[in-house]
Every structure is written in C-alpha cells, then in structure tokens.
C-alpha cells in the first residue's frame, strides 16, 4: 500500500493555528481540522528517536492528542517512512489493532529532522489479554492481500535501527534467506568479520533453512503471504482498556511473510508472550504443515540475541538471568556467563558458599568467568548482607587469599578481576598461581585507561569495559546526521572500545537497546582519533568512584589504599 501523505509544505494562512510556534510548520500542516496547537510534551526517547505528545484543539471545540516521533538523517527519515507505511498497511486491514497513522514528513525549519504522527494512546502497563489480542493478530494474518501475491514489502522497514531488505520474492524460503544474509552483512559491516560465525553460515543456508522452510512450499503445499508486524514483542504492544486488558500494537517493521514468522519473537518467555498466546493464536490459525517442523521453524525465526551475559551476585538479577537462559532454549555451550564475588564474601570460608548461591540462582552447573567484583571488602552482616561501618569500609586484598583458591574450582571455567588498577593487579600477580583471565573495569572515551590496557596485555590479562557509555551515552562529537554512521549515536563509544580490542558489556534493560548494541560499525580513522583524544581535551572522568563512601581511594596508583592491613571493624 502506498502512502497517501508524505512531506508537507505549510500554507501561509494556517500559521494562525500555532502562534506560539510549538511545532514545526510542516507538522502543523499535517494535522487537519485543527484550530490551535495547545501543548507539546516530551514522551520518551530511544537512541535514535524522540517522542512527543501533541495536544490540539479542533475546530468543533474538541481536544485530541497525537503521538509524534522525530528522528534525524537519512536512516531516520527512511525508518519513519517505513513505520508510517507499515502502520498504514496494518490499519487498512485491522483498524482496531494499531494507532491510526496521520502523516510522516520532514521539518520545514530543519531538513535533517523528520517526523511521524499517529493517534496517541495512554497505555496501561502490562501485556494485552491473549484471547482478543490473538484474534486481532490472526485476523491481520488471514488477509492474504499482498499487492502482487509475493513476499516482501514496497519499501524498506526498520527493525529498531536495522534496515530490512524487503525485496519481493515468489518464495518464502528465498525471501527469508535473503533477509537473513542482509542482516549478517550489516552485522559484519558494523562489528567486523567473525571466523566462527562465518564457518557456521554454509550449513545454515545450505541445510537448515532449506530443510525447515522448503517443505512449506513443496509436495503440493503452499503458503500465502501474510502481513506481519515484524517486531512483535511485549515492548511493542500496549493495553488501551484497563478494564478488559484490550490491547493494540505499535512500532511495526512490516512485510508480507509466513504468518508463523511473527511468533519467533514470542519464543523466549521473558518477552511475556507465554504459551497461552501461542494457544490462543493457533485456535484461529492452525500450525503450518509439516506440523512436526513447527518448533524448529519457530527457533529459526527467533534467530537473534546476546550470547555473553554479564551478571553479579550484587546486582540481584541472577534469578532473572537464570530464567531467561532457561526460556531461551539456547544450548549452554553457546552462552558465556559471567558472575562476580561480592565484597561481603571475601573470607575464604565464604567464597564457595557465594559461588553455590550464584549457580543455584542462575540454574547452571558452572560459570564461564568468575570475577572478584572489587578489591576491597565490606563488613558482612546476616546472610552476608553489607553493613556500612561508620568509620569506613574495606580491608586490603593481601589479607585474603581467595583468588588462588577459586582458581582451582571445577565450577568455574576462568577467573578474573573487576575494578582493579595497576597497583592492585600487581599485588594479585604476586600471590596468584593462576593468572587472571580478565579485568573488567570502567572504560569509555572520558576514561580510556590506556596504561592499564597496556599493562594487562603485557601480562596476558584481557581488559573488558563496563560502563562503556560512561554511565550515560557520552556526547563524544556532533557530526553530519546524514552520515551512514552518525557520530551522535552512542554506539560510537562501543565501536571505539571494540576497535581497541576491548570487549564491552553495556548495561541495558531494553531489548531494543540490546539489539542495537549488537550492531556496531568500524569507525573511520579520523573519527576514532577524535574519540580517542577526548580525555586529553577534557580531562579524565570516572563515573564509578566508591571513595566517597569508603573513605579511601581504591584507584590510587601511588599508594595502595587502605594503607593498614586492617579494616575499621577489626579495631572496634
């Protein structure tokens, strides 16, 4: 379906509707039957778009709210166009299942900024009720009205910030394989080649995909193209009626596909579409034949996700990580799990108990990497809870020999450090029989840790970056937003670290951001140099600094703090 509205030019006589200049003139032009723009209010943002609620007064005296998303640059424009076209296509089939699309276009006052407008909904937190939700989804999928009877879409659509190749194809197998190759090509452009992944691709494309998808379209079988949302997880669905939990979808990345493709995102239960949703959906549309391939097809359609999970006892998230690993059904050997020894478990007698508790919460038999979270200790209370001592916390590592001890543990594949500077790492190397494999430290453009990186490399210790965005995305440089890889993108910080040979573990609770963080691209030499020299211009900045509550500086390279081989609670 082609769009009916695109870029807008404002008729002069309509300026009166927005005398305060609350919105761009082209946005005002896109809103029909409006007497006045009453209010605009920030409504959230992602790494690549900002959202605003626009309240208007109509000519008949009624008020209405609109949702407006704004993005910049070429990719921002194409992504918003794709969202408008996707929403329009879904709305034409199931108008009760998605917000009514209004328009998309480019700002009159800033040709690099673009907008998308639709009806505003104030969603209730939660996941829509499955029966009604899946009935509407099945109704969408049952309308086999692809304009040419093929798989694909008439324009590019974006899954997050990933442009999808929607080239038309007569065959679902061919379309899916082409789309997956496109995704892998972008992954390589952004993150570099991976020999292990490259070796796995021929069996995937030559055996797995033909084995699972070709039977759908052979031996007399045929599947008709269904319009799919394209990125249907709980973050793109909302409740619009608190009384009935009636729900709708938004943020689509649509194309015409095998209807079961939509359910790939439902496979991990952490996405909150449980087996009840599968059952409700298939009460309307049966599983495609051959049905015995259904679960394997669903696994194929769910091909995405993290394989390195960074956790810690102190984060309080190990039970959730364990559940997510279990629900993902990804083989254990394909996931790399890190945990950390908290500061209240430093006594040798406590180390094994801490590890056992972590493994129990993670529902695992072993961890791939076990780090000492900090080089200082906290006084342990009941069940090893932290007690803040009035005269400070911490005792030097030398009093405890737990690192050599855990290095012999069969439930740990590798041992390492976290938040150790050069001075404290040297002390570890004096007593440890096993060289730590990793030191996970704060690294970002404002704290590049070049000296620690060189020292660690000399001693065979891999430096890994936590807080690689500096606690929040570092506003490194501002460049042309139409560049293929705009410099205001927070992934600049991640790419800079990876190009230095430093793995990164960015913190995120958003699945969209997790997906985004997988899509890196090599920085041009001049951009890399600019980012690499930021700390020289502005001075180093450490976001994680416990000295304020410790009373001493664990990162002091001149003096090993605390100086005394005793903690305050030992003197009380």
């Amino acid at each position: 379906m082609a769009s009916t509205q695109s870029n807008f030019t404002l008729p002069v006589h309509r300026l009166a509707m927005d005398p305060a200049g609350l919105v761009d003139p082209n946005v005002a032009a896109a809103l029909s039957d409006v007497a006045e723009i009453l209010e605009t209010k920030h409504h959230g943002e992602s790494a690549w778009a900002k959202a605003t609620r626009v309240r208007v007064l109509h000519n008949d005296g009624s008020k209405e709210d609109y949702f407006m998303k704004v993005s910049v640059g070429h990719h921002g424009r194409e992504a918003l166009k794709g969202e408008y076209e996707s929403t329009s296509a879904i709305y034409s089939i199931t108008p009760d299942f998605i917000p009514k699309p209004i328009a998309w276009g480019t700002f009159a006052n800033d040709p690099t900024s673009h907008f998308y407008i639709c009806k505003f909904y104030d969603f209730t937190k939660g996941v829509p009720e499955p029966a009604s939700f899946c009935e509407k989804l099945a109704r969408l999928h049952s309308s086999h009205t692809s304009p040419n009877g093929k798989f694909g879409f008439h324009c590019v659509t974006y899954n997050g910030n990933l442009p999808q190749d929607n080239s038309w194809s007569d065959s679902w197998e061919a379309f899916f394989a082409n789309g997956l190759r496109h995704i892998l090509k972008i992954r390589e452009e952004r993150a570099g080649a991976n020999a292990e992944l490259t070796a796995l691709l021929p069996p995937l494309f030559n055996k797995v995909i033909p084995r699972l998808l070709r039977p759908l379209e052979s031996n007399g079988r045929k599947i008709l193209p269904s319009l799919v949302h394209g990125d249907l997880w709980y973050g793109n669905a909302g409740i619009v009626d608190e009384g009935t939990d009636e729900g709708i979808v938004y943020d689509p990345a649509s194309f015409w596909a095998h209807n079961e493709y939509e359910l790939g995102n439902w496979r991990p239960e952490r996405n909150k579409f449980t087996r009840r949703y599968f059952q409700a959906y298939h009460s309307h549309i049966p599983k495609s034949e051959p049905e015995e391939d259904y679960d394997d097809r669903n696994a194929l359609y769910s091909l995405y996700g993290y394989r390195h999970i960074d956790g810690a006892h102190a984060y309080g998230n190990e039970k959730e990580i364990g559940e997510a690993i279990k629900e993902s059904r990804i083989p254990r050997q394909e996931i790399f799990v890190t945990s950390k020894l908290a500061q209240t478990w430093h006594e040798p007698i406590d180390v094994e108990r801490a590890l056992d508790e972590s493994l129990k919460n993670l529902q695992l038999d072993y961890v791939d990497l076990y780090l000492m979270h900090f080089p200082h200790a906290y006084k342990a209370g009941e069940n090893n809870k932290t007690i803040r001592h009035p005269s400070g916390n911490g005792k030097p590592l030398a009093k405890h020999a737990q690192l050599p001890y855990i290095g012999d543990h069969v439930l740990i594949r590798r041992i390492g450090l976290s938040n150790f500077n050069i001075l404290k790492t040297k002390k570890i190397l004096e007593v440890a029989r096993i060289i730590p494999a990793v030191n996970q430290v704060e690294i970002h453009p404002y704290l590049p840790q070049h000296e620690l990186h060189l020292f660690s490399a000399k001693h065979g210790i891999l430096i890994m970056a936590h807080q690689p965005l500096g606690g929040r995305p570092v506003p490194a440089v501002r460049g042309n937003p139409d560049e293929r890889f705009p410099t205001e993108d927070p992934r600049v910080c991640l790419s800079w670290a990876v190009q230095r040979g430093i793995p990164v573990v960015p913190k995120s609770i958003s699945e969209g951001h997790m997906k985004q963080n997988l899509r890196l691209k090599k920085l041009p030499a001049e951009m890399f140099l600019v980012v690499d020299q930021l700390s020289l211009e502005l001075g180093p900045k450490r976001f994680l600094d416990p000295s304020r509550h410790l009373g001493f500086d664990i990162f002091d390279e001149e003096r090993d703090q605390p100086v005394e081989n005793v903690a305050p609670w030992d003197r009380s």
Side-chain angles (χ1 to χ4, degrees):
M1 173 181 295
S3 64
T4 56
Q5 302 191 61
S6 181
N7 293 301
F8 285 82
T9 301
L10 176 68
V12 175
H13 69 273
R14 295 191 64 178
L15 284 170
M17 68 187 290
D18 187 25
L22 295 177
V23 299
D24 183 87
N26 282 351
V27 172
L31 301 173
S32 62
D33 193 36
V34 172
E36 185 180 355
I37 307 293
L38 298 176
E39 178 189 41
T40 60
K41 188 175 182 180
H42 179 73
H43 196 67
E45 61 185 86
S46 69
W48 55 84
K50 294 182 179 180
T52 301
R53 188 194 70 190
V54 180
R55 178 162 292 175
V56 306
L57 177 68
H58 286 296
N59 290 319
D60 63 2
S62 64
K63 296 179 180 179
E64 186 173 7
D65 288 343
Y66 293 99
F67 174 87
M68 180 173 69
K69 184 184 290 188
V70 176
S71 193
V72 298
H74 169 75
H75 285 293
R77 179 184 184 276
E78 293 304 302
L80 296 182
K81 175 186 175 182
E83 183 170 353
Y84 175 80
E85 297 290 351
S86 296
T87 304
S88 297
I90 295 174
Y91 187 81
S92 70
I93 300 172
T94 50
D96 57 343
F97 196 39
I98 200 163
K100 180 181 179 180
I102 305 300
W104 75 278
T106 297
F107 281 7
N109 295 331
D110 179 7
T112 67
S113 295
H114 316 283
F115 65 88
Y116 161 73
I117 305 173
C118 67
K119 178 180 173 61
F120 179 88
Y121 284 92
D122 193 5
F123 292 119
T124 298
K125 187 176 181 180
V127 186
E129 185 273 328
S132 172
F133 184 83
C134 292
E135 183 277 326
K136 287 184 280 191
L137 181 63
R139 188 159 23 104
L140 172 67
H141 290 171
S142 297
S143 178
H144 304 295
T145 53
S146 170
N148 52 20
K150 297 182 179 183
F151 300 96
F153 204 63
H154 63 272
C155 70
V156 173
T157 54
Y158 280 62
N159 190 320
N161 72 335
L162 176 68
Q164 300 178 139
D165 186 345
N166 293 329
S167 302
W168 294 106
S169 177
D170 292 314
S171 161
W172 167 241
E173 178 192 341
F175 176 85
F176 180 85
N178 181 65
L180 186 55
R181 285 192 178 95
H182 174 72
I183 290 172
L184 292 168
K185 179 182 177 183
I186 293 178
R187 190 217 71 82
E188 183 169 328
E189 289 175 352
R190 295 177 176 181
N194 182 296
E196 184 178 3
L197 176 61
T198 300
L200 293 172
L201 296 184
L204 173 65
F205 286 100
N206 298 334
K207 295 183 179 180
V208 176
I209 292 176
R211 167 61 187 84
L212 293 177
L213 301 189
R214 192 165 299 171
L216 293 167
E217 302 173 291
S218 57
N219 297 323
R221 301 187 187 98
K222 182 179 181 181
I223 54 174
L224 297 176
S226 297
L227 185 66
V228 296
H229 176 285
D231 188 22
L232 188 51
W233 62 294
Y234 80 89
N236 286 338
I239 296 173
V240 295
D241 187 326
E242 189 174 2
T244 64
D245 284 347
E246 187 87 6
I248 63 172
V249 299
Y250 53 93
D251 275 358
S254 293
F255 49 87
W256 295 90
H258 179 209
N259 65 290
E260 290 178 5
Y261 172 88
E262 194 88 274
L263 312 188
N265 264 358
W266 296 8
R267 190 174 183 87
E269 289 188 13
R270 66 180 180 277
N271 281 350
K272 299 186 180 180
F273 287 112
T274 63
R275 305 313 299 178
R276 293 176 59 208
Y277 290 82
F278 283 87
Q279 293 163 2
Y281 176 84
H282 286 303
S283 71
H284 300 282
I285 299 179
K287 298 174 182 178
S288 298
E289 294 290 346
E291 188 172 337
E292 59 268 24
D293 291 342
Y294 175 84
D295 189 63
D296 289 333
R297 287 196 302 265
N298 185 252
L300 178 64
Y301 293 156
S302 69
L303 272 182
Y304 69 91
Y306 276 28
R307 292 297 189 269
H308 178 190
I309 300 173
D310 183 61
H313 188 281
Y315 298 163
N317 65 351
E318 289 185 327
K319 286 186 177 180
E320 289 77 10
I321 288 175
E323 287 299 322
I325 292 172
K326 181 179 178 181
E327 292 165 9
S328 74
R329 306 182 191 179
I330 297 171
R332 173 64 181 93
Q333 63 271 19
E334 295 182 15
I335 303 175
F336 192 98
V337 180
T338 298
S339 188
K340 302 180 182 74
L341 180 73
Q343 293 100 299
T344 54
W345 301 79
H346 278 204
E347 296 287 353
I349 194 174
D350 290 332
V351 174
E352 188 160 5
R353 289 196 306 112
L355 177 60
D356 288 343
E357 185 169 322
S358 289
L359 291 173
K360 179 181 178 182
N361 289 335
L362 291 166
Q363 303 180 55
L364 298 177
D365 296 325
Y366 66 93
V367 291
D368 299 275
L369 181 63
Y370 199 55
L371 308 180
M372 188 173 179
H373 205 159
F374 281 92
H376 62 281
Y378 286 148
K379 185 176 183 180
E382 184 178 358
N383 296 321
N384 290 80
K385 299 293 185 183
T386 299
I387 296 178
R388 297 289 189 193
H389 195 275
S391 58
N393 284 280
K395 52 174 82 175
L397 178 67
K399 185 168 182 178
H400 304 290
Q402 71 276 10
L403 192 72
Y405 167 77
I406 65 173
D408 295 327
H409 209 294
V410 295
L411 304 181
I412 300 168
R413 294 293 186 262
R414 302 167 188 84
I415 59 172
L417 309 171
S418 182
N419 300 303
F420 276 64
N421 64 354
I422 294 175
L423 187 59
K424 283 183 163 46
T425 304
K426 285 180 177 178
K427 286 191 167 291
I428 282 290
L429 295 176
E430 291 172 1
V431 298
R433 292 182 292 104
I434 299 174
I435 302 298
V438 168
N439 187 10
Q440 190 181 107
V441 296
E442 179 180 348
I443 290 182
H444 47 75
Y446 291 159
L447 190 69
Q449 303 260 39
H450 288 299
E451 295 82 3
L452 177 61
H453 189 203
L454 291 172
F455 170 85
S456 300
K458 179 180 178 181
H459 292 277
I461 301 172
L462 176 68
I463 286 292
M464 184 180 291
H466 68 65
Q467 292 190 289
L469 302 179
R472 63 181 64 185
V474 173
V477 283
R478 296 287 176 178
N480 180 358
D482 282 315
E483 292 175 358
R484 292 186 63 196
F485 192 70
T487 51
E488 66 266 31
D489 193 319
R491 289 170 301 162
V492 168
C493 300
L494 306 184
S495 297
W496 164 80
V498 170
Q499 281 177 240
R500 294 177 59 198
I502 299 174
V504 295
V505 282
K507 177 183 178 182
S508 178
I509 61 173
S510 161
E511 181 170 359
H513 290 168
M514 291 179 186
K515 290 181 181 179
Q516 180 196 23
N517 291 340
L518 291 173
R519 303 163 188 151
L520 303 184
K521 181 179 178 181
K522 186 176 180 179
L523 303 180
E526 62 275 17
M527 186 187 298
F528 178 89
L529 187 61
V530 169
V531 178
D532 201 50
Q533 294 181 345
L534 276 176
S535 64
L536 297 178
E537 301 172 12
L538 305 173
K541 182 174 180 61
R542 188 182 293 277
F543 289 89
L544 177 66
D545 185 3
S547 62
R548 289 184 291 272
H549 67 261
L550 286 176
F552 56 86
D553 183 7
I554 63 172
F555 300 116
D556 188 345
E557 293 287 6
E558 302 297 326
R559 187 176 62 155
D560 189 19
Q561 299 190 42
V563 177
E564 298 181 61
N565 190 24
V566 67
W569 57 81
D570 291 326
R571 294 192 292 265
S572 58

